[in-house]
Amino acid sequence: MSLPLDGLSAIVTGAGRGLGRAEALELARLGAAVVVNDHGRPGRDGSGAASAGPAEEVAREIRSAGGRALAHTGDVSDFRQARELVESAIDAFGKLDVLVNNAGILRDRMVFSMTEDEWDAVIRVHLKGHFNTTRFAAAHWRERSKAAGGPVYGRIVNTSSEAFLAGSAGQPNYAAAKGGIVGLTTSTALALAKYGVTANVICPRARTRMTEDVFAGLEPPAEGPDPLAPEHVAPLVGYLASPAAARVNGQLLVVHGGMVAVVERPRVQAKFDSKEDTFTYEELDAVLTPHYADRPAGETFAATEVLGLRKD
């Protein structure tokens, strides 16, 4: 019996550790050949001897288990290096079928204290990094579709965050980048559907090196599985990358601790029409002020209730 991703090739960015590593291992377990991307160079071990970088270590782990994998240490926030990443998968495996965008950084600070560099760095790695790889993968699928005269196989799984949904007060750069990734995903889903490509976005909650400060007060349980383990997230990525998810497109899913929640798109809550061609200040005051008069204090467009989601 063949595995669901047999014959497919995938890229996972930020895959040297944490979520990306778990996702790369899961795609390989399901049969995919994987390009493991993680920015950086090989380092030194405790004795000072040269050691493989995180990307190569994960690629070796996949190969040791009988899979196919190679490491790529380019920076996805760099347009040229993102193109080289996509080309590396095509050169090694003949084509690209799955793109998992996971790479990211944190530079947390309140909006009134944030520096320009802290803002730019997070937007560059998260949002521009997602765009860069998507741009070249999309071009590859479009060219293949034209050559084939019909749809081809393509899957994009992007990574947003509950920080975008809930409006994390201390992460304006991160929340903005993750919101932008949702917009990029829905736009890409509509643009590439005719080529046979789907694009979806997940909001994972997991204990990783990047989020160690976020979950500093939540220690892993003494017994039983850790609900914040990255391994809870990886199976959903594997599913979204598979043929079984062909009808799942342009969707946002929250995943952690044995739970997956499908988030509904925004809907219009109220609508007001002007009596004449254009609203006046007085008319807006007459309709909007009463509308918000009984609204609970602190309630905004942010969906803070997602932070309370747990496995039943």
Side-chain angles (χ1 to χ4, degrees), residues 24-267:
L25 293 175
E26 177 69 0
L27 294 182
R29 188 187 72 81
L30 294 175
V34 183
V35 178
V36 180
N37 166 262
D38 200 85
H39 183 39
R41 298 177 180 177
R44 300 277 174 179
D45 62 20
S47 67
S51 65
E56 178 56 33
E57 289 174 358
V58 175
R60 286 181 183 175
E61 189 173 352
I62 291 171
R63 293 194 295 267
S64 295
R68 293 190 297 161
L70 61 90
H72 185 277
T73 57
D75 179 1
V76 295
S77 71
D78 180 277
F79 198 66
R80 177 184 58 81
Q81 293 182 56
R83 179 181 64 210
E84 291 172 353
L85 170 59
V86 172
E87 289 173 348
S88 71
I90 298 167
D91 291 344
F93 306 123
K95 58 186 173 60
L96 173 65
D97 302 293
V98 178
L99 170 63
V100 179
N101 283 309
N102 170 76
I105 61 172
L106 289 180
R107 299 290 186 270
D108 292 352
R109 203 176 298 275
M110 299 297 286
V111 69
F112 43 76
S113 303
M114 182 162 289
T115 68
E116 182 180 14
D117 287 345
E118 289 166 341
W119 174 270
D120 288 347
V122 169
I123 298 296
R124 183 180 67 250
V125 175
H126 286 275
L127 185 52
K128 187 183 178 187
H130 272 62
F131 160 72
N132 285 346
T133 54
T134 297
R135 185 257 184 254
F136 293 110
H140 168 65
W141 288 319
R142 181 171 177 263
E143 290 171 5
R144 279 176 53 196
S145 178
K146 285 186 172 183
V152 295
Y153 192 99
R155 299 283 189 270
I156 299 173
V157 182
N158 287 334
T159 307
S160 182
S161 169
E162 292 170 295
F164 149 68
L165 289 170
S168 180
Q171 299 178 302
N173 48 3
Y174 185 68
K178 291 307 192 181
I181 287 168
V182 174
L184 171 65
T185 304
T186 54
S187 174
T188 301
L190 291 174
L192 299 186
K194 66 181 179 180
Y195 301 117
V197 179
T198 67
N200 294 287
V201 59
I202 64 171
C203 293
R205 190 187 306 175
R207 191 192 315 278
T208 67
R209 190 176 65 160
M210 192 179 84
T211 62
E212 59 187 357
D213 291 338
V214 176
F215 299 120
L218 298 173
E219 296 299 322
E223 297 182 2
D226 180 3
L228 291 173
E231 286 72 22
H232 287 292
V233 176
L236 177 61
V237 173
Y239 167 76
L240 292 173
S242 76
R247 291 181 58 83
V248 185
N249 193 29
Q251 301 298 306
L252 172 63
L253 302 98
V254 176
V255 54
H256 60 82
M259 182 216 72
V260 172
V262 178
V263 179
E264 189 175 25
R265 69 184 188 274
R267 296 185 180 274

Side-chain angles (χ1 to χ4, degrees), residues 231-312:
E231 286 72 22
H232 287 292
V233 176
L236 177 61
V237 173
Y239 167 76
L240 292 173
S242 76
R247 291 181 58 83
V248 185
N249 193 29
Q251 301 298 306
L252 172 63
L253 302 98
V254 176
V255 54
H256 60 82
M259 182 216 72
V260 172
V262 178
V263 179
E264 189 175 25
R265 69 184 188 274
R267 296 185 180 274
V268 176
Q269 190 265 330
K271 175 179 175 289
F272 304 97
D273 296 319
S274 64
K275 294 178 181 178
E276 303 297 334
D277 291 338
T278 306
F279 270 112
T280 63
Y281 166 84
E282 290 77 14
E283 191 179 3
L284 287 169
D285 181 26
V287 295
L288 290 179
T289 301
H291 176 74
Y292 285 104
D294 297 326
R295 184 68 60 93
E299 182 178 292
T300 70
F301 187 76
T304 55
E305 63 272 16
V306 300
L307 299 179
L309 290 172
R310 299 288 189 277
K311 180 182 178 184
D312 292 333

